[in-house]
Amino acid sequence: MNYKKKITGQNKLILILLAIFVVIVGIFIIIAVSAGKKDDWKQSSSTASSDSSDNSLFIAEPGSSKSTTEPSDKDKNVSKNYPSFSENAKQLTNANIYSDYAVLLDVETNQILAYRGAELRMNPASMTKLMTLLVAVENISDYNATYTITYDMISPLIEQEAARAGFEDQETVTITDLLYGMILPSGADATVALVEYVAKTEENFVNLMNDKAAELGMTHTHFCNATGLYDEKHYSTAVDLAMLMKEVMKNDICRKILGTVEYKTTSTQQHPGGILLQSTAFSRMYGSEVKGITIIGAKTGFHDQARQCLASYAKAVDGKEYVLITGHAPTDMDTIWDAFAIYGTITGTYAMPTDLDTRVTTEASDVYVIVTDENGVLVTDENGDIVTELASSSDETTTETVSEAEQE
């Protein structure tokens, strides 16, 4: 009897010890499981956080300007090349200038100093040939090479009444002569020949032009042809054209051609004495009319839709250089007057008009010429106004149209 009780007591003790052991093991298991879950949660939380961060590179918050990818080379060029407006940029009006579009660019700072309709779409007319010139020069290796003009090239240009340098059917012309023929008299015949020489077809050449525009960051420009003839899908802005002129003048060959007043082509069978080519820009000005600054390169443009245009490049006495684009002006001299007035804002040596919007015009008008002295300097009266006289009483060739009201 006592033995059984003893056995029973021992069993109870064993059971208690087993229970304690089970409890202890259970506690360790619970702790281990909990720790494992905690590590899993940390890893899961860390992964989620990392995923969220990665997603933020691809999903921009509403209104956020964060780029989803690294800027492309094109985007970098746009941000680098596109001009900014100076804090003191002068906004021009129709009381100041004749041109509806204008941009004065400081080449060194890449800042716009004066403007009107700077970023509005405009037709560049023959200012287009600035891009044609740049693309051609960048793709020509032999400037003494020749190309033969054909009737098929000239005939459409005659029908379109496009300006021509004067090359004839079957005339073999040097590439150098074609470049000058394209720019100085704005010859479409020379332009077409260069296009075919460089790229075989105008379509191929225009692709090169648009590729170059994209490379320069000209984001508001599209070319349809190399000559600048009217096409509603052929457009640019004054800012984009200022960027183009700035780039063109970096090239020594382009700079020389755009700064040439006149040039005689090489003798050919059709033109034994060559052709005397004269700059349409410098035939209207000397370039030194504004004291303290000289226009050293220029290209005109015109057709009915674009009206009168001028791209010019000037250098001041302190060495600083500037680009000026003016477009959609009534007469060929209006862009010149605008250039003088706008460059005058830099030097303070040429008056900016303030009352052009009050000018009265009529259907009847006479052709007047600008009077210059023996040194070619403009003659002004006691009020500082430029003196003009009827063309019939002068041998000068620089003209402007004056209304009856102005004559009085």
Side-chain angles (χ1 to χ4, degrees):
M1 186 73 175
N2 291 335
Y3 175 75
K4 288 182 178 179
K5 287 182 178 179
K6 187 175 181 181
I7 292 299
T8 301
Q10 289 177 346
N11 289 340
K12 287 181 178 180
L13 180 60
I14 290 171
L15 290 173
I16 290 170
L17 291 173
L18 285 173
I20 292 171
F21 177 77
V22 170
V23 170
I24 293 172
V25 171
I27 291 172
F28 276 110
I29 291 173
I30 291 170
I31 292 172
V33 171
S34 297
K37 288 183 177 180
K38 187 173 183 180
D39 289 340
D40 290 342
W41 177 85
K42 285 182 177 179
Q43 184 175 358
S44 174
S45 176
S46 175
T47 302
S49 176
S50 176
D51 289 344
S52 175
S53 175
D54 289 343
N55 286 340
S56 70
L57 295 175
F58 299 95
I59 304 174
E61 294 295 327
S64 171
S65 61
K66 181 185 289 186
S67 173
T68 58
T69 59
E70 190 68 15
S72 66
D73 288 340
K74 177 182 175 181
D75 291 333
K76 288 177 180 177
N77 283 335
V78 169
S79 62
K80 176 183 177 181
N81 294 336
Y82 201 82
S84 61
F85 286 81
S86 167
E87 292 183 359
N88 300 317
K90 180 177 179 60
Q91 184 172 2
L92 304 169
T93 71
N94 62 342
N96 307 128
I97 60 174
Y98 300 101
S99 302
D100 290 326
Y101 311 107
V103 161
L104 174 63
L105 179 68
D106 183 321
V107 171
E108 181 182 358
T109 65
N110 202 34
Q111 287 191 324
I112 295 169
L113 306 181
Y115 65 96
R116 183 184 183 193
E119 296 179 307
L120 297 179
R121 183 177 292 188
M122 62 179 288
N123 195 294
S126 282
M127 290 189 295
T128 297
K129 294 185 179 80
L130 292 171
M131 180 61 84
T132 308
L133 174 65
L134 182 62
V135 170
V137 167
E138 289 184 346
N139 287 276
I140 291 171
S141 57
D142 183 4
Y143 293 92
N144 292 318
T146 59
Y147 198 78
T148 301
I149 306 293
T150 66
Y151 176 79
D152 290 339
M153 294 165 54
I154 300 173
S155 179
L157 303 176
I158 295 174
E159 294 177 5
Q160 295 169 317
E161 298 182 350
R164 291 179 291 126
F167 299 117
E168 298 180 8
D169 178 34
Q170 299 306 310
E171 185 169 6
T172 300
V173 184
T174 68
I175 299 305
T176 297
D177 288 353
L178 290 176
L179 289 170
Y180 279 99
M182 176 176 67
I183 296 301
L184 270 60
S186 205
D189 48 354
T191 305
V192 172
L194 282 168
V195 165
E196 291 188 5
Y197 175 79
V198 170
K200 305 300 182 185
T201 69
E202 186 169 36
E203 181 181 1
N204 291 340
F205 194 94
V206 169
N207 286 337
L208 294 176
M209 294 171 68
N210 284 319
D211 288 345
K212 190 65 179 182
E215 178 188 327
L216 297 179
M218 297 170 62
T219 55
H220 302 95
T221 296
H222 182 260
F223 297 112
C224 294
N225 58 68
T227 56
L229 293 173
Y230 177 72
D231 187 307
E232 63 178 3
K233 295 180 180 179
H234 186 99
Y235 59 82
S236 188
T237 66
V239 174
D240 277 15
L241 291 169
M243 295 167 65
L244 173 59
M245 186 63 165
K246 174 184 173 182
E247 186 69 20
V248 169
M249 291 295 283
K250 289 179 182 178
N251 184 289
D252 291 340
I253 295 174
C254 296
R255 191 180 182 106
K256 180 179 180 180
I257 293 172
L258 288 165
T260 299
V261 175
E262 61 180 34
Y263 171 89
K264 181 171 284 190
T265 64
T266 308
S267 173
T268 64
Q269 181 180 350
Q270 289 78 5
H271 295 99
I275 302 174
L276 182 62
L277 305 174
Q278 294 181 311
S279 167
T280 55
F282 288 109
S283 65
R284 303 172 192 173
M285 63 178 174
Y286 295 102
S288 56
E289 285 83 353
V290 183
K291 293 180 181 178
I293 193 167
T294 302
I295 297 173
I296 60 174
K299 178 71 191 79
T300 61
F302 171 79
H303 57 58
D304 291 341
Q305 292 81 4
R307 305 180 81 181
Q308 297 290 342
C309 306
L310 177 68
S312 61
Y313 195 97
K315 187 172 185 178
V317 290
D318 61 3
K320 293 196 66 174
E321 297 182 336
Y322 303 88
V323 170
L324 176 60
I325 304 295
T326 50
H328 207 254
T331 76
D332 57 358
M333 284 304 299
D334 288 339
T335 56
I336 303 297
W337 303 136
D338 287 348
F340 296 165
I342 297 173
Y343 281 128
T345 63
I346 299 170
T347 62
T349 58
Y350 200 97
M352 169 67 73
T354 58
D355 60 353
L356 295 184
D357 54 342
T358 63
R359 186 176 61 161
V360 178
T361 59
T362 66
E363 292 298 324
S365 63
D366 287 316
V367 175
Y368 275 61
V369 298
I370 301 159
V371 178
T372 58
D373 62 21
E374 64 276 7
N375 297 317
V377 178
L378 296 176
V379 176
T380 58
D381 60 21
E382 62 275 10
N383 298 319
D385 295 326
I386 296 172
V387 175
T388 61
E389 62 184 22
L390 280 170
S392 58
S393 62
S394 172
D395 294 328
E396 297 291 336
T397 57
T398 303
T399 64
E400 69 165 339
T401 301
V402 182
S403 69
E404 288 182 341
E406 288 180 303
Q407 295 170 33
E408 296 174 357

